[in-house]
Amino acid sequence: MAKYILGIQSYANHDTGACIIKFGNNIKPELVAISEERLIRKKYPYTFPLHSILYCMKHFKIKKFKNIDLIVSDWIREKKWHRSGPSYNYQEFDYIKEKLDIKKTKLIQINHHLAHAASTFYSSEFKSSAILIVDGNGSDVETNSYFLGYGKKIKLLKNYKYHGLGAAYGAVTKQILNLGTGGEGKTMGLAPYGRFNKKIKINYENKNIKTDFKNFMLRMPNSDVLNHIHPNYRANTIRQKVKKAEKSNIMNRLYRDWAFMIQNITEKTMRHLGNDIYKITKSKNICLAGGVALNSVANEKLFSKSKFKDIFIFPACADAGIPYGLALWGYYNYFKQSKKIKFDNAYTGINYKEIEIKKVIKLSGLKYKKINDKEIANLISNGKVIGFFNGKSEYGPRALGNRSILADPRRKYMRDYINKHIKHREFFRPFAPAILEEKSNDYFKIKKSPFMLRVAKCKYKNKIPSAMHIDNTARVQTVNKKQNPRFYSILKNFNLITGIPVVLNTSFNDAGEPLIETPTDAIISALRTNLDYLILGNNSIQLNLIAKITKKKLLSKLLNIREKKIYRDSKLSIKLLTKSYSKIEKKKKILEGNKKAVKRVLKDPILRMKNYFKKLKKNSKLFIIGTNDHTRTLIKIFKKDLSKFKSIKYFELKNNDIYQNKKKIKIFDKLNSIKYNKNNNYFISTFQYSEEIKYHFSKKRINAFNAYDNCSRSIIDYAFIKKYNNKFKMYQKII
Ligand SMILES: [Fe+2]
């Protein structure tokens, strides 16, 4: 009998989705995976993957949710299913999780970085490999993890927490360049327009697995229940004050240079991490995942300057790939399956039959005719811009020839034209070349890059100007026959016609819209953009002949149909997946859940401190080690509790947690002047540097009290919120 494993994330993530694996005796294992944003047509949804699960279940004809044999999920902050993210606000996501109609025994949770590691290592062809994960933050606020993969096993070697590269890159993207959630790719595109700028100081330290940005930004977690309740409770993570860019001035020297500087540091840091994990593993191979692995330029630097012989980067290496990694982990580790699930291509979506495609075209009333690959290549060579819908959709953010906009890379104007008139996006965004794999070495110093995650300099920049970046590099996609026979055939035909084995390939979507998934999405997106032709399977629709008014009417009709279907599917999925779902109960639970989360984040550290002081004997000696501003806040809050001690010694770190001005604490000493004694009471009085102080004491084999855990906010935040409530954006006025 067939068994089914479902992989889903445990918290409201911007990249939610689902993956189901079907397997069993004498059954060839098969999987389907999809991101929620594609199905609900909204980027960064933060909602429970109702539609993705339904999509996968429909594909395998799974009638009841109970028929799923195992759910594998990650954990965030705490290893428990209900309220797995205590520092996050309670949303419908959490309520649906509670109401899922499945036995708890069918549920397992693994570390977030382990899921990333599983996604990349199990998809590679390596028997053993070093695995490097770098992202915003993992289960226990890890930012970098080293794993070793061998056979079916994945072993954690080391990790680093708190001040990571992913968070720093994200902070520059959002807080300085103003390019929004998921805008990191835009920063990467902008970087080559900038140059080294002495005035921009991004302090960081790379040492072993540590990539420490503590002097540049505040540590995590800073995205939690508080800023969901009010945006003013979200701390400005970057320590220096830089005026945010706007659309109109993003090309100012300063902002271009910021993009350049953070990109430059990212490349150096990834190179450093590559060399460091090599030193530890001495592996021939490296697998990458985590959001930072989308930085194809940095990947290239890492690989080219390392001793690794081969590299594999999973196409959905950011959190979109987590459901897939989770399901695979369950397959190999929980069910201990030995049959390898091969990852020959990135097309993990479902197939749309010709009959379904025709039905949609007919419903739209658009004229269509049959088209073959040679004719498609011909259209492209004649300068036509094509929306191309073919077979199963791609996993991850890159369109790899099944949901792509294709154009002639020889035409220089094409880049600006597509950016401006078709995709309605920033002019500095580059396009990628898709090239016949066997010809790749002729154009680029790269043999294989099937998922567009590697970058190379082009040997003939004048031959394919619109598929190059300003610095003559390109994010290459190599295509072979096995991987995608149809796309390969189009490239082959284009080469026969033009002598160029390259086609410009960019994702089939409008600005701010997720990649298209269904034939209806393809028509809607095509009507919104200025595409010349839309190819749906083997059918061609000439769009430039349709009158504007007809387009407008049809667009509104199709949008209406789609919206209704999304609504119906939400209802259907809730019915199928949950038991005793109630809107009233949901509302109540959201209120209660958020109260609990605020307590956990803000009040619990204070309580723990209070209990600690209470527990100590009257007249005992207390050593407070920390930063000036944190300790001053501590003294203010605990004036009464501290008065019971016979003596308090203060030891002060060089830096402050947040405030720039240092005010004197009555008596203070330097950290290295502490005379250690196991019988003394050591209290860590810093949030930003608590990990380092903890490490300092653990080296001396002395216990020091730390009130913070992986979801706490600092007592400085507590004091700030108490004093200002939500009047000011956190720290804006006082840094
Ligand atoms: Fe991640």
Side-chain angles (χ1 to χ4, degrees), residues 112 116 135 137 319 322:
H112 180 82
H116 274 309
D135 72 358
N137 78 93
D319 283 359
I322 289 290

Side-chain angles (χ1 to χ4, degrees), residues 9 11 13-14 74 112-113 116 133-138 289-291 317-320 322:
Q9 286 150 341
Y11 63 105
N13 186 292
H14 59 283
D74 56 350
H112 180 82
H113 276 199
H116 274 309
I133 309 301
V134 187
D135 72 358
N137 78 93
C317 56
D319 283 359
I322 289 290

Side-chain angles (χ1 to χ4, degrees), residues 409 433-444 446-450 464 476-504:
I435 185 165
L436 290 171
E437 189 182 287
E438 63 269 26
K439 301 275 184 191
S440 181
N441 248 334
D442 298 350
Y443 279 74
F444 307 99
I446 219 167
K447 267 193 196 158
K448 233 181 158 181
S449 171
I464 50 167
V476 184
Q477 180 200 359
T478 58
V479 183
N480 66 35
K481 204 173 178 178
K482 197 174 148 204
Q483 174 198 334
N484 191 334
R486 179 124 194 255
F487 194 33
Y488 180 82
S489 155
I490 292 171
L491 282 165
K492 199 96 183 152
N493 276 295
F494 188 79
N495 189 31
L496 278 174
I497 300 164
T498 63
I500 303 284
V502 181
V503 162
L504 181 156

Side-chain angles (χ1 to χ4, degrees), residues 393-409:
S393 62
E394 300 86 343
Y395 200 27
R398 311 274 171 252
L400 301 167
N402 277 0
R403 301 289 187 276
S404 288
I405 289 174
L406 306 176
D408 189 344

Side-chain angles (χ1 to χ4, degrees), residues 371-373 376 380 385-391 394 399-407 484-488 490 505-508 515-516 522 526 531 533-539:
I371 192 163
N372 63 34
D373 300 343
I376 296 173
I380 300 170
V385 184
I386 308 278
F388 187 60
F389 176 100
N390 173 51
E394 300 86 343
L400 301 167
N402 277 0
R403 301 289 187 276
S404 288
I405 289 174
L406 306 176
N484 191 334
R486 179 124 194 255
F487 194 33
Y488 180 82
I490 292 171
N505 174 15
T506 181
S507 54
F508 192 169
L515 200 64
I516 58 152
L531 291 170
Y533 284 83
L534 168 64
I535 314 292
L536 281 173
N538 297 313
N539 313 289

Side-chain angles (χ1 to χ4, degrees), residues 63 69 81 100 187 220 247 254 323 355 414 479 511 651 659:
K63 293 264 165 2
D69 296 279
W81 178 243
L100 283 180
T187 304
M220 288 181 298
K247 260 195 178 152
L254 178 72
I355 192 167
M414 206 49 108
V479 183
F651 294 87
Y659 300 115

